[in-house]
Amino acid sequence: MKKVKPEQIMRSFFSFTFLCCLLFLNRPAHAQSDSDHTYRKPLQEVLEQISQRFGVKVKYSREQVKDKWVNYAGWRFRPDLNQTFEEVLKPLDMKVNDEGHGVYKLKEYEYHRWAPADGWAMLDSLSKRYPSLESWEKRKAALKPAIFQALQLSPMPRPAATKPVLTRKRLFDGYTVENISIELIPGLYLNGSVYKPAKMKGKVPVVMSPDGHWAGHRYRKDCQVRCATLARMGAMAVSYDLFGWGESLLQFKSSDHRRSLAMTIQTLGGIRMLDYIYGLPQTDRQRIAISGGSGGGSHTVLMAALDDRITLSAPVVSLSSYFFGGCPCESGMPIHFAEGGTNNVELAAMAAPRPQLVVSDGQDWTAQMPEHDFPWLQRQYARYGASALVENVHLPKEGHDFGYSKRKALYDFLVRHFKLDASRIRTHAGDYDETGCTVEPEKALYAFGDNGEYLPATAIHGFDELVSAFDRYRKK
């Protein structure tokens, strides 16, 4: 028998080993073990198992679970319910919302909504980056241009050559109303209504009033009443449309509001409206406020952070460290990634030491405002010795609206800081009589006529035209 040399044995061994490795690396994914396939279960079945194991109810629609599978399903269960939900749903870009009393609702992944603890941890981490007033000022100085860059407003598009157009003035009990259109860039219009005291003596304060996503927008009763009441107390109040809402629908589809550029156009609109207000001879430049609710509150925070001409801000039912805005008009552009990451509470702190009122409630993402976010905001104001200039009115039994109690909080704050004259409408109990306000029909607040007949022939129509025009004028 032929003797085999040791080196031949070694070569054969390594050849065999190499061949085995190739076969292993090139095997089908399912070939490791047939049992792996038994670990894959339909999402609906996994949710039912979670319900049984933890004694909870998970609400979902048929469409939400259709054709969705969980790989290694049994291995994703943990002793803790929340950890189990995360292990099962995170790979599917899904989550659940806790509705209380052991009831959970299946949701698509919400990039804009964090757990409160995560938002608070981010704030605490951010504050460690600026232990002194000097370092905080450097942070603010870096954030502002980075946000403009994220909004694609650096460079800023040049203003249109046209002047704002005001409609016929309507006279009411102690105030007047005119509708306004402002050309932001050639062919793109922002519309709103200007409420003024019927008799103006000297310079008056101004309150910009962007609004949220409530039905009716600036035509709603509570918006008209708020602006009229401010005018009756001696302020000029200006309400204006969101992009893709109100008269903006003469130029765009409502679905265009949920495009990222909506955030940019709304910011540009706010700046151009402020330019107009700032140039009026009757405007007191030391008393310019902005106050909006919900999505209008997010716009309020952003405007106050970016423009120092605003001397007072009041975001209503909107501000939170763990909620970034559920609409692309609030979070569609990457402003929250600026300078290593930020959130809306840090942006609100950029207004310090200018007076700021934060109104929160018990039924939305502002429900825990007094626990962490507001004390954090107070500490930033304290750096300037101005902690008394930021206030929180928290209404734990109320919900997401701009109802009377929220308006009263705003009125009180403005009376105190802007010296408004509430003598005509404030009762002995400290309430405000809004019955003298006239609620006009929606069409009365249109700037371009009942059917858009006064919209200029040169107006942009459609989102594609907007993108082209915006890029063209941004580069000039």
Side-chain angles (χ1 to χ4, degrees), residues 181-240:
S181 65
I182 297 177
E183 194 171 16
L184 304 182
I185 60 174
L188 175 63
Y189 294 91
L190 171 70
N191 297 330
S193 298
V194 182
Y195 298 70
K196 296 178 182 178
K199 296 180 180 179
M200 287 195 289
K201 296 180 180 179
K203 295 186 179 296
V204 300
V206 178
V207 182
M208 296 174 65
S209 300
D211 232 319
H213 299 94
W214 294 298
H217 191 45
R218 67 181 178 88
Y219 313 124
R220 293 188 340 270
K221 176 180 178 180
D222 65 270
C223 182
Q224 292 192 50
V225 165
R226 183 171 79 251
C227 291
T229 299
L230 291 171
R232 297 179 79 208
M233 290 193 289
M236 187 189 314
V238 184
S239 65
Y240 51 97

Side-chain angles (χ1 to χ4, degrees), residues 164-170 172 175-182 191-197 200 204-207 209 218 227-228 231 235-240 273 276-277 280 282-283 440 444-445 447:
V165 176
L166 291 165
T167 64
R168 178 183 59 85
K169 184 180 293 185
R170 284 113 49 209
F172 298 105
Y175 69 99
T176 66
V177 184
E178 301 163 271
N179 306 327
I180 186 171
S181 65
I182 297 177
N191 297 330
S193 298
V194 182
Y195 298 70
K196 296 178 182 178
M200 287 195 289
V204 300
V206 178
V207 182
S209 300
R218 67 181 178 88
C227 291
M236 187 189 314
V238 184
S239 65
Y240 51 97
M273 184 64 78
Y276 165 72
I277 291 166
L280 293 176
Q282 62 266 47
T283 294
E440 298 185 87
L445 298 173

Side-chain angles (χ1 to χ4, degrees), residues 11 37 41 68 89 97 105 132 137 154 180 263 265 274 276 283 305 316 319 355 369 385 392 403 414:
R11 280 197 299 269
H37 267 56
K41 294 182 179 180
K68 287 188 172 67
L89 299 175
N97 283 351
K105 187 173 183 178
S132 65
E137 286 292 332
S154 180
I180 186 171
M263 186 178 195
I265 300 304
L274 183 53
Y276 165 72
T283 294
V316 175
L319 186 61
M369 172 58 63
N392 174 217
L414 288 168

Side-chain angles (χ1 to χ4, degrees), residues 424-437:
R424 283 188 61 210
I425 63 173
R426 190 153 60 180
T427 68
H428 292 298
D431 287 318
Y432 295 85
D433 182 1
E434 299 176 327
T435 57
C437 303

